Structure formats: C-alpha cells, structure tokens
Amino acid sequence: SERAQRAVEMEESTYLETIAKVREEAAKAWVNVLYGQRTLALVSAMEKEAAEDLNAMNAAHRGAKANASDVMQAQLTLSQAQDATRKNTQDLKNARLALSRWTGMPAATVADETPKLNSHVPGLPIEELEKYHPMLLTARRAINLADADSTVATRESNPDWSVEASYSQRGSQYSNMVSFGISIPLAVNRAQKQNRDIAEKSALGTKARMQYEEALRELQTEIENQSSTLESLKSRVTQLNAQLLPAASQQVELATVAYRSGSGSLSAVFNAKKMLLERRLQIAELEREAALTWAALEYHVVPHDMVSAGEMK
C-alpha cells in the first residue's frame, strides 16, 4: 500500500510538470503579445513619421531646398518602415495565436500593463523547491518510490508464516472435525533471488539520490543565472531610460532648432526623429527580454493550491 501511494505521487509529479509548462508558456505568450502591441505601435509611428518626412522632402525639393538624393533617401526610409510594420503585424498575430493555444480562449489583445518583474523564486529554500518546483519535486518523489521498492523487496525476502484453522460439520455417520495448520515457506536459493532483488532496488535508490543531487545543482544554477540575467536587464533598461532617451530627444530638439534657424537640414531632423524611435524600440526589446526571463523564473513554480488540489484528487 505504501509503495502504491509513492507510485501515485510519482505520476502526479508528471501532471504537475505539465501544469508548470503550461503556466510558463502562457506567461511568455502573454509577454510576447504585450510587447508585440507596443512594438507595432512604435513601428507604425515610425512609418507615419517617414510618410510625413517624404511629403516634406518632396515639398522642399520643389522649392529647391532639397536635392533628389534626399527625396530618394526619404522614400527608402518609408519603404523600410512599411516593411517593419508588416513584419511586426504578423509577429503580433503569431503571438496572439500562441497565447490562445496556451489559454484555450481567443486573445485579441492584452492590457497594456507592465508586470512588476520581481520573482520570489530565488529566495525559496530547498524544502520549498522540493514541494513546488517540478524538477526537484520529481527527483524527491523518485527517491521516495525507490525507498518503497527497497522496503517491499526486503519484506518479501522474509518467510511469510501463516496459520489456518477450520471446523467441519459432517453427517450423522461421522463426528465433526476441527483442524489446524501452520505454513512456513522455505526460501530456496535466496542469494540468487531475494538478495539479488534487494541489491537491485538498493542500487536504484542510490541512483535516485544521485539524480536528485544533480537536479538540485542544475536547478540552483538555473535559478541563479535567470535571476542574475533579470537584474542585469532591468538595470540596463533603467540606465537607457535615464540616459539614452533624454539624449535622443534632445538631439531631435537641437536638429529642429538648427533647421528653423537655417543652419541645419531637414534630413537631419528626420534622422534624429528616426534615431529616437529606434532607441525606443531598443528599450522595448530589452524590456521584452527581461519580462520573458521573469516569466520563465516565476511561472515554472507550481502554486501551493495547485499542488494541494492535485494531492487531494
């Protein structure tokens, strides 16, 4: 009975692994839709800017304030922006399909709310990881099952004595009869059978413990790497928002002032605006990478209530 219960728990760990995978993939798909929406909005703004720049350049060319090469460059920029819009539109469509696949419901859009990229997983002790992280949970339950197998093999190696008693009520010609019996199994060739089975189960238990230690080291390394990567990405995003964006915005203002004063060109204004949008795209991509790292770290741990519900079921 004990061994059967350990086998049930082992099968349940496979079920919990599936839950963890669905949670992680759904979270990643949600992140991809969120930042797909933001990226598409940025490239659409870039396309709009490029179209306005082309119109302005054509007007400047007609007024002899720009040459034909400037017009061709503006046209090339618009074509690139249009291609980026088409590409990101398809990427967003694919991200929505992926989110629908993992949630089981249509996902036309998601709320434009940036998640707080704080994970509690790096602070979990090993005892908690054994209960709620599928990798370590499975490894621990494999040890429990192996120990139960060893116990069963050890018990089966001992003779199972039995006692019988019966009462026979016979016809009038014979008196009733009471009988007793004792059965004592005699183990034959125990060294080649029972002892060998015990040794096999013991070796499997040792193997399970070694696999647990390997799983623990791998998990700790993975959590540390993901946590370090997440903090690095968050730091880079903060730095770029504090330094890169203000500088790019100031460049647009300076180019605009120079053009209005007659000391700068219209193409310089266009290039500064394009550079500002590209920097925003760069930061958005870093934010997406940070959010995906956070999702992989935070959502691969099964919530406590799900583990409890699985055990009750």
Side-chain angles (χ1 to χ4, degrees):
S1 177
E2 179 74 14
R3 193 268 175 202
Q5 181 60 35
R6 300 290 83 77
V8 169
E9 292 175 355
M10 192 65 190
E11 289 298 322
E12 184 189 63
S13 66
T14 303
Y15 159 75
L16 294 175
E17 284 180 356
T18 303
I19 287 182
K21 178 182 178 182
V22 171
R23 280 170 47 81
E24 179 183 345
E25 293 300 328
K28 288 181 177 179
W30 185 90
V31 167
N32 283 327
V33 172
L34 172 64
Y35 285 96
Q37 293 172 172
R38 294 182 177 180
T39 301
L40 181 58
L42 287 173
V43 296
S44 296
M46 185 180 294
E47 180 183 350
K48 182 180 179 181
E49 287 278 355
E52 293 174 353
D53 293 349
L54 178 59
N55 292 334
M57 193 63 72
N58 282 325
H61 179 58
R62 288 192 296 269
K65 294 182 179 180
N67 53 44
S69 62
D70 292 332
V71 176
M72 292 299 297
Q73 182 62 41
Q75 180 62 57
L76 178 60
T77 301
L78 176 59
S79 298
Q80 292 174 337
Q82 290 172 337
D83 181 67
T85 300
R86 287 191 291 269
K87 177 183 180 300
N88 282 275
T89 299
Q90 184 60 45
D91 290 344
L92 178 56
K93 181 180 179 180
N94 293 340
R96 287 170 176 165
L97 289 173
L99 182 57
S100 298
R101 178 258 183 274
W102 290 109
T103 60
M105 62 185 70
T109 185
V110 300
D112 190 17
E113 299 176 1
T114 303
K116 295 181 179 179
L117 306 183
N118 299 319
S119 176
H120 75 290
V121 176
L124 289 178
I126 295 177
E127 294 77 13
E128 291 291 302
L129 291 174
E130 283 185 359
K131 295 178 181 178
Y132 305 114
H133 197 288
M135 180 187 294
L136 209 58
L137 182 146
T138 299
R140 169 54 66 186
R141 292 188 177 184
I143 293 176
N144 296 339
L145 178 59
D147 289 345
D149 282 334
S150 296
T151 301
V152 170
T154 302
R155 296 289 179 84
E156 289 180 344
S157 67
N158 299 321
D160 188 12
W161 292 29
S162 61
V163 179
E164 298 178 359
S166 64
Y167 174 77
S168 301
Q169 186 174 8
R170 303 190 293 183
S172 58
Q173 298 179 355
Y174 303 97
S175 59
N176 296 338
M177 182 176 68
V178 176
S179 61
F180 295 91
I182 298 178
S183 175
I184 305 176
L186 298 178
V188 179
N189 202 9
R190 176 178 295 183
Q192 294 298 319
K193 293 182 180 180
Q194 285 87 354
N195 291 351
R196 183 176 59 186
D197 190 38
I198 293 174
E200 177 187 358
K201 300 303 181 183
S202 177
L204 291 176
T206 301
K207 177 182 177 182
R209 283 172 170 77
M210 294 175 66
Q211 289 176 334
Y212 171 86
E213 294 297 329
E214 174 62 23
L216 176 60
R217 288 193 295 270
E218 180 181 352
L219 179 58
Q220 289 175 328
T221 301
E222 180 180 333
I223 291 176
E224 185 176 353
N225 286 340
Q226 289 177 333
S227 178
S228 175
T229 300
L230 176 59
E231 293 304 317
S232 175
L233 289 170
K234 288 166 61 177
S235 176
R236 290 173 61 190
V237 168
T238 300
Q239 181 180 8
L240 291 179
N241 278 321
Q243 299 178 4
L244 188 62
L245 278 187
S249 298
Q250 186 177 11
Q251 188 65 33
V252 173
E253 295 175 1
L254 292 175
T256 303
V257 171
Y259 172 70
R260 290 174 178 173
S261 65
S263 61
S265 65
L266 188 59
S267 60
V269 177
F270 298 159
N271 289 334
K273 291 181 178 179
K274 178 184 176 183
M275 185 67 68
L276 175 59
L277 285 171
E278 287 178 347
R279 297 292 78 82
R280 287 176 176 168
L281 284 172
Q282 178 185 354
I283 293 174
E285 187 58 34
L286 277 178
E287 289 177 340
R288 180 205 297 263
E289 188 177 350
L292 289 174
T293 303
W294 165 78
L297 180 62
E298 182 71 10
Y299 278 84
H300 200 74
V301 175
V302 182
H304 295 196
D305 56 343
M306 288 189 175
V307 174
S308 300
E311 291 176 348
M312 290 174 61
K313 183 177 179 180

